[in-house]
Structures are given as structure tokens and as C-alpha cells.
């Protein structure tokens, strides 16, 4: 028996999120179904964290204990032949038996894609948020700055555990232009609150559309102001389909 | 009553092609359904050409005769509110009553996207062909050259009408790199034979993978050689989901 670390990519459109739920099609459910056919008898695989319904991934990390007597590349091939088209194991390796994809992670990187257009765009909207009226992109770039560093993000989400803290450290938060009207937000933090990235994106876009002042973002990060700003902030979420979990980083 | 020229975009994944077919979900069928709700009573809209099941479009052109007493922008909004999420009218305008999207077109431009990877990629494969073993991209760029100009393309497809000719003029045929492992073929011609672009892409990729010699492409375009090469050419089609009808050009 060995513990395997698996790097997963999925198109989240047709999954009810990553975590197993009875009667729903989930990433965990599909992966456990495939593993079971290869002799896996565990109760539950481990995931680095939960992604919501509709959120995509290119670098979700899972762990599973498996008796496998052939090569790693054989296992990769066997698993992928059993998984559906919208879920793939990109890589795998045997790791220390104590490896935990969530507790051992030192940071996570997410990417959020958007484009500014007045009309629907069927070829892009599966993986990006269509924003209109257009965002002022110079404002967008400035809007990301206040997030950098260690802050109380309680205005941006709930803890992932009942009594969890709300202080997080953001190492990277930057917008880059990826096409004529396309922008991409890349954000890396030690961990994220529930729906934190989608709230961060929503608020930045509201600022870049002139709906709120950019200063609101900086003020919303002050611990004492969180409760106040929670009621002031536009209470919205950028849609799930623009979000992708890109990478989970571990101490090597 | 006025004739309207409509520019359509669609994600072809869930359409059985562009042309109306009884009992199938098609682009024409969905568009006619929406137009009917706005008072359209014609027998059939006109399309610039047929796209196969799974082929996408950002610039398909349609024409429909409609009694509409409000503004063009009102019509655009009304139509799009009635169309499904994977089909949009990007623009429309009233045109000459004799305008025909197919017969008046002077050229068509298609784009074919591919990427070279050994493993599935759920976030890219909806709109691009995953090629493996990887194509030698220097060969790919050279492989497009012989197509330029006027040739008998009978080795690359069937005429779109029973006794139609097979000579076509290609004004543009070029590969460009659009990402680390991503390539895009853009091809413009006065008209295309049935499935011509997908056969062109398949043969070029076969050449770039070293499965056939690049010279075969040039020789396949000689009229007298067509019959011979038809049996020699790898008899394959690049998959529909990598192909997008980008634009149909008209004399202005």
C-alpha cells in the first residue's frame, strides 16, 4: 500500500463541486469510482481544498492510498482511461504515507478570467466572466494592490472551519491582460476563506466599473472595519465559471 | 418587410450542425424558433454555408426577412433574449432585399486550433484538437505553403453541390503559435469543399508528425494526381471541435 499524490484538472461546468455529495456528480465521486475499479478500498480520498460547483481546476491535488504493483505511468494511464472526459489526472507519484494535500499545503494559486463585452460570447463564457459595463483596467490593476500582505479578510468570506480564523497572507494579487478585452487575475495566498477569490474579484470589478471607490478595498481589510464594510460592500460573487484553481504549493 | 443580415457566434458542441434537420437541435432551427416569436413567417432563413456538427462559429452569416417596426438594437436585444446560451447574434443590419449570405460571399475564413499534449486537457479540448505525438511545428508552418493560390482540391473534399467544381483559391493559409504548446491555422479561400479545412489540417499534422512527407501535400494539389493521392493520403479528418468559422467576407 502506498499513498499517491495526484494532480487533477477538470472542467467544473458539469460537476457539483469537488467534494463528494450523495446523489451529485462531483470530482471526488468520479475519482473514487475510478480508483475503486483499480482496487482502492479507502473510505475517502483527500483533497487540498474544496472548489464550488462550476469552478475549474488545472492543479487540484488529491491523495489516495492504493495497492498498485505496476508502474506509476501504468497507474496514470489506467486511471485516465476510467475517468470521464471532463476530469483528468495530469500527474501522480508515490509520496510519504503522512502526506496530506490540505494540511501540508503552504499556499494556493487561483486564476480568475474575465472579458469586457456587451453581448454574450458562447465561445468564451464557459471559462470567463463577461463583464459589462466595461471595467476601467487601470483601476483594476490598482485595485489588487491592497490585498497584498497579511490582513483580516473577514469582509471577504467565512472561515472554512466553524471557529477558523480570518487572517490570511496574500503573496500575489495581480491583473494581466491576456487578450484585447480579456483580463486575468492571479492570486496566491497561504489559504483562502470560503468564496474569498470570487468576492475579491467582484469588488475589484465593481471598483473598476466606478460603482464603488477603490479606497473601499483597502479600508475593508482593516480588522475593526470588517463588520462595517461587510454591509457596505457590494454583496456579490463573481460567477464560479471564471475561476480556476491553478496550483497548490507544498514544501519540497 | 426588410432583409436583415445577422452575424452569428455559437459553441457548436451541442448543435447537430448549422443546417435545419428534423428532430435535431441545429443553429438554423434555434434561430428560426427565436425569429418566429418576433413575427417571422418565412420558410427558411439563409446561411452563408453549412458547418458540421461540433464546428463553432464567431462569424457565421445569416439572412432573414422580417417585419420589424423598432430599432435594430431593439431587434438585437429581443433576438438574443430568445436564443439559447450557446448561440448569439453578434450584430445585425437591414440590407438590400437581394442580399444572399452564400452567393454574395467573396471568401470565408476558418480557424483551426490545436495543442500538443500526451494527456487529456478538459479545459482546452472543447475548442481545440489535442495532438500527440507532438507535431514538429517548423514542418507545420512549411506544410501550409503549398495550399496558397488556385488549385484543384478534389483530394481534400467533395463539392458542396452535386456537379460543383473542385477548384478553389486560397488567399491565406498560415499557422501561428498562440501559446506554449498551442497552434492555430488560419485559412481563407473563395469557398471550401465539404470538410476541406479538416482534411487540410489532418494532412498537415500527419506531415508534422512525420507520418507522411510534406511533399505529398504539394503533389496532392495537382489535378491529375488527385485521384491517385486520394488513396495515398491518410484518410482522416481533424476533429470538428477544433474548427471555427471566423468570418464571411462580402464586397462592401
Amino acid at each position: 500500500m502506498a499513498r499517491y499524490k495526484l494532480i487533477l484538472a477538470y472542467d467544473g461546468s458539469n460537476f457539483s463541486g469537488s467534494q463528494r455529495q450523495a446523489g451529485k456528480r462531483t470530482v471526488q465521486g468520479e475519482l473514487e469510482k475510478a480508483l475503486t475499479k483499480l482496487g482502492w478500498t479507502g473510505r475517502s480520498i483527500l483533497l487540498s481544498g474544496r472548489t464550488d460547483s462550476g469552478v475549474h481546476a488545472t492543479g487540484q491535488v488529491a491523495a489516495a492510498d492504493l495497492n498498485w504493483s505496476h508502474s506509476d505511468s501504468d497507474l496514470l494511464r489506467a486511471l485516465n482511461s476510467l475517468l470521464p472526459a471532463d476530469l483528468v489526472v495530469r500527474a501522480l507519484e508515490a509520496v510519504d504515507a503522512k502526506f496530506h494535500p490540505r494540511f501540508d499545503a503552504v499556499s494556493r494559486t487561483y486564476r480568475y478570467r474575465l472579458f469586457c463585452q456587451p453581448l454574450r460570447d458562447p465561445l468564451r463564457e464557459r471559462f470567463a466572466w463577461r463583464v459589462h459595463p466595461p471595467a476601467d483596467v487601470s483601476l483594476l490593476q490598482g485595485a489588487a494592490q491592497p490585498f497584498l500582505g497579511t490582513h483580516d479578510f473577514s469582509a471577504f468570506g467565512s472561515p472554512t472551519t466553524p471557529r477558523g480564523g480570518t487572517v490570511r497572507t496574500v503573496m500575489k494579487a495581480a491583473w494581466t491582460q491576456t487578450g484585447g478585452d480579456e483580463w486575468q487575475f492571479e492570486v496566491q495566498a497561504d489559504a483562502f476563506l470560503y468564496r474569498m477569490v470570487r468576492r475579491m474579484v467582484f469588488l475589484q470589478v465593481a471598483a473598476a466599473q466606478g460603482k464603488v471607490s477603490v479606497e473601499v478595498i483597502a479600508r475593508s481589510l482593516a480588522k475593526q472595519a470588517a463588520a462595517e464594510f461587510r454591509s457596505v460592500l457590494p454583496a456579490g460573487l463573481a460567477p464560479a465559471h471564471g475561476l480556476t484553481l491553478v496550483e497548490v504549493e507544498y514544501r519540497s
Side-chain angles (χ1 to χ4, degrees), chain A:
Chain A
M1 182 82 79
R3 177 154 293 190
Y4 287 91
K5 175 186 176 190
L6 315 170
I7 313 288
L8 310 178
Y10 44 86
D11 171 348
S13 310
N14 299 321
F15 286 109
S16 299
S18 59
Q19 240 164 358
R20 189 173 51 195
Q21 297 172 65
K24 299 273 179 79
R25 184 175 187 272
T26 64
V27 173
Q28 182 176 359
E30 293 299 314
L31 184 56
E32 290 179 348
K33 221 190 289 176
L35 283 165
T36 301
K37 291 184 187 152
L38 301 178
W40 177 78
T41 54
R43 279 185 47 210
S44 176
I45 61 160
L46 303 169
L47 286 173
S48 78
R50 165 180 174 174
T51 58
D52 273 348
S53 178
V55 174
H56 316 289
T58 57
Q60 172 70 281
V61 176
D65 296 323
L66 189 69
N67 253 322
W68 182 258
S69 50
H70 311 284
S71 70
D72 286 4
S73 61
D74 281 348
L75 178 55
L76 185 69
R77 207 170 306 123
L79 262 177
N80 282 326
S81 74
L82 295 167
L83 289 170
D86 50 358
L87 172 59
V88 69
V89 178
R90 296 180 58 191
L92 59 79
E93 57 176 335
V95 289
D96 187 282
K98 287 182 299 222
F99 170 75
H100 194 294
R102 181 167 159 215
F103 301 133
D104 292 350
V106 293
S107 66
R108 284 93 173 152
T109 301
Y110 281 90
R111 188 177 63 207
Y112 197 96
R113 289 181 57 200
L114 61 80
F115 64 98
C116 299
Q117 276 296 329
L119 285 175
R120 283 206 311 273
D121 186 334
L123 275 78
R124 291 196 283 176
E125 285 184 69
R126 192 177 185 91
F127 300 110
W129 181 23
R130 183 173 64 80
V131 166
H132 191 79
D136 177 334
V137 291
S138 59
L139 287 177
L140 210 52
Q141 287 177 300
Q145 294 308 308
F147 291 123
L148 291 169
T150 302
H151 307 283
D152 184 335
F153 282 92
S154 56
F156 289 88
S158 349
T160 45
T161 53
R163 289 177 193 193
T166 52
V167 173
R168 296 291 184 270
T169 299
V170 172
M171 299 89 155
K172 182 174 183 178
W175 289 91
T176 49
Q177 189 168 16
T178 52
D181 58 0
E182 291 183 13
W183 290 80
Q184 184 175 294
F185 180 57
E186 200 168 293
V187 60
Q188 181 184 12
D190 55 349
F192 290 88
L193 301 175
Y194 185 53
R195 293 188 167 164
M196 178 169 148
V197 182
R198 290 166 62 192
R199 282 187 215 278
M200 288 167 80
V201 169
F202 187 87
L203 186 61
Q204 291 177 88
V205 167
Q209 287 175 321
K211 293 176 182 167
V212 296
S213 126
V214 174
E215 284 72 51
V216 166
I217 297 178
R219 283 190 284 151
S220 67
L221 293 167
K223 189 172 175 57
Q224 62 276 29
E228 171 196 345
F229 276 100
R230 210 162 185 158
S231 58
V232 170
L233 295 179
L237 279 175
H241 64 262
L243 186 61
T244 302
L245 172 57
V246 173
E247 201 180 347
V248 185
E249 295 88 10
Y250 298 90
R251 255 179 222 97
S252 56

